[in-house]
Amino acid sequence: MIRNVDAVTATIERGAATAPVASHEQPRPPTAARNHKGGFFRSSNGKKVVMAVTGAVMVLYLIAHMAGNLKIFFGAADFNEYAAFLREIGHPLVPHRTVLTLVEVVLSVSVVLHMWSAVSLARRAAKARPVKYAARPKSQASGYAVKTMRYGGVIILLFIIWHLLDLTFAAVNPAGPNGEPYQRMVEGFAPGRWPVTLFYVVALLLVGLHLRHGLWSAFQTLGLAGGRRERPVKLAAAGLSALLVLGFLSVPLSITIGLVK
Amino acid sequence: MNLTLKVWRQDGPSDQGRMVTYEVKDVSPDMSFLEMLDVLNERLILEGGDPVAFDHDCREGICGMCGMVINGVAHGEQRATTTCQLHMRHFKDGDTVTIEPWRAAPFPVVKDLVVDRSAFDRIIQAGGFISVPAGSAPDAHAIPVKKDDADSAFDAATCIGCGACVAACPNGSASLFTAAKITHLGLLPQGQPERDKRAKAMVDQMDLEGFGGCTNTGECTAVCPKGIPLSTIAQMNRDYLKSK
């Protein structure tokens, strides 16, 4: 009885001119309330939060790293002393290299988690659009930085590997593992090694673009960039990215043009 | 003007589908895009062919039924405009126009340019409402609302649920749609009791439907016929985090 009443109501509501009312309910996918497996870190928002927080950790490190690099303009003694100091932070309260090792561990974990969330979100995105558009989608949003995030991230990863081999482990550095930090820098960016310097420049510009979008995006993901704050946060992201890139670029370029010897 | 159309034709959900080319002659610049398709369909019917299926209802830009990807842009390149309000004066004689359905796994093609957007309904069912005993409508000034909040809530409430945000998003994310509803209800006093629960339930349902994650590209808000701002997504993220 009741089912018949429903059917009549449905027909009246939808009108005779529209599609016929289906006589049976189609099986519905389960709703979140009924069947939701996986918690915060499996949700797309959770992964974004992981990306934002790990990204913020890396940006804080980059600020310190960039500022430290500028020590090179004070000469070899200052720079080498600073490098030695980094290994002695907290000493003698804690053993040699404790703080530096902690920083390295936190950074490594951040890099891995950042990549994990990027890969899993990219895979999710690929699954969400199995059939591509025939017409090449024309971007309607402004901004070039956002288009570099995925491939730029891969290039930045390759750069970090090279950078560690070059200046941290000195495996590919002309000054070798026994060279003083200052010597490694000056020999590493000597004019004759211009292809290496060029790679640094390209990678650093990509880091700048990555941060230009990433910094703002992190604020947005954490819900801190809404409403009137959108413009100031975007401007601050652009400003900090530019400052970091200029600061980092100044060192290798000064060596290449002979300002720092 | 004369146009060459490349239209996605798909007989049914299980059909492979393909692009088919049609010539449409004597198109008036005053026609809407859908009227231009009507002309094509009338010819196809007269020739004994199968007309191109597309969704439409009000044809005045407020119902959210129509929508197709025109030359790679959801609802065409005219900003803040639904397909039905897009006029042929924005095209030139001799243009080739590619017309495709919204592409997203949670929006399966029903036929040609028609996609099933029930996933949006299920996101709304998960939490896009307020639970109040329905009776006669209360006086409009019974609950005061700050003007700024009322304006922002209304901006978000103008979402017509057309799905262009999903179609335009490189990740196939439904964040702008979901965020619009969460922002609309979350800014008003009536939406407060269920605010946290709503954000969690709707975001979880969005994931469950198979939409992609948001990477803040801004493609959604750029094609949105109602110009729903990206800041709604920040609001959604904030409410979702609070619900944890």
Side-chain angles (χ1 to χ4, degrees), chain A residues 136-166:
Chain A
R136 191 153 178 258
K138 272 185 225 151
S139 174
Q140 298 298 297
S142 53
Y144 174 73
V146 63
K147 294 172 191 71
T148 68
M149 295 307 277
R150 284 183 186 146
Y151 81 83
V154 173
I155 294 175
I156 292 168
L157 175 69
L158 295 175
F159 164 71
I160 292 172
I161 294 171
W162 172 267
H163 177 54
L164 291 177
L165 289 175
D166 183 16

Side-chain angles (χ1 to χ4, degrees), chain A:
Chain A
M1 270 303 278
I2 290 165
R3 283 190 59 162
N4 287 344
V5 172
D6 279 352
V8 171
T9 320
T11 314
I12 293 166
E13 276 174 357
R14 302 199 43 165
T18 54
V21 177
S23 55
H24 58 90
E25 279 249 315
Q26 290 202 338
R28 274 170 36 184
T31 60
R34 263 185 277 146
N35 174 26
H36 183 62
K37 56 176 180 174
F40 184 66
F41 294 105
R42 290 183 70 160
S43 71
S44 60
N45 272 43
K47 284 169 185 167
K48 290 289 301 177
V49 168
V50 169
M51 187 177 291
V53 171
T54 54
V57 168
M58 292 189 275
V59 169
L60 290 177
Y61 171 77
L62 283 185
I63 293 170
H65 185 7
M66 190 275 280
N69 283 7
L70 298 181
K71 280 263 175 199
I72 200 144
F73 294 111
F74 294 93
D78 263 37
F79 189 75
N80 289 337
E81 189 193 338
Y82 169 70
F85 156 75
L86 290 179
R87 282 147 188 80
E88 301 300 330
I89 301 172
H91 185 75
L93 187 65
V94 290
H96 294 278
R97 240 188 161 282
T98 305
V99 172
L100 195 62
T101 308
L102 272 178
V103 169
E104 285 167 351
V105 169
V106 169
L107 280 178
S108 307
V109 171
S110 294
V111 169
V112 170
L113 288 177
H114 199 75
M115 289 192 310
W116 164 78
S117 71
V119 169
S120 89
L121 281 166
R123 286 177 60 180
R124 190 180 174 85
K127 254 200 260 172
R129 177 156 303 136
V131 184
K132 305 277 175 269
Y133 289 109
R136 191 153 178 258
K138 272 185 225 151
S139 174
Q140 298 298 297
S142 53
Y144 174 73
V146 63
K147 294 172 191 71
T148 68
M149 295 307 277
R150 284 183 186 146
Y151 81 83
V154 173
I155 294 175
I156 292 168
L157 175 69
L158 295 175
F159 164 71
I160 292 172
I161 294 171
W162 172 267
H163 177 54
L164 291 177
L165 289 175
D166 183 16
L167 291 169
T168 307
F169 305 115
V172 293
N173 190 284
N178 297 323
E180 290 281 319
Y182 187 87
Q183 192 193 351
R184 285 187 204 168
M185 293 285 277
V186 172
E187 289 187 25
F189 296 115
R193 293 237 305 171
W194 66 267
V196 172
T197 310
L198 184 67
F199 180 41
Y200 270 79
V201 171
V202 170
L204 282 172
L205 291 176
L206 279 169
V207 169
L209 289 171
H210 207 79
L211 295 188
R212 168 82 175 76
H213 177 72
L215 272 170
W216 171 74
S217 193
F219 275 84
Q220 173 88 353
T221 297
L222 298 174
L224 304 170
R228 274 184 222 101
R229 266 188 258 165
E230 193 169 320
R231 267 186 67 80
V233 169
K234 273 188 171 171
L235 279 174
L240 181 59
S241 313
L243 198 71
L244 278 173
V245 171
L246 289 177
F248 275 121
L249 280 179
S250 67
V251 176
L253 292 182
S254 301
I255 295 171
T256 304
I257 62 172
L259 218 62
V260 175
K261 305 185 183 116

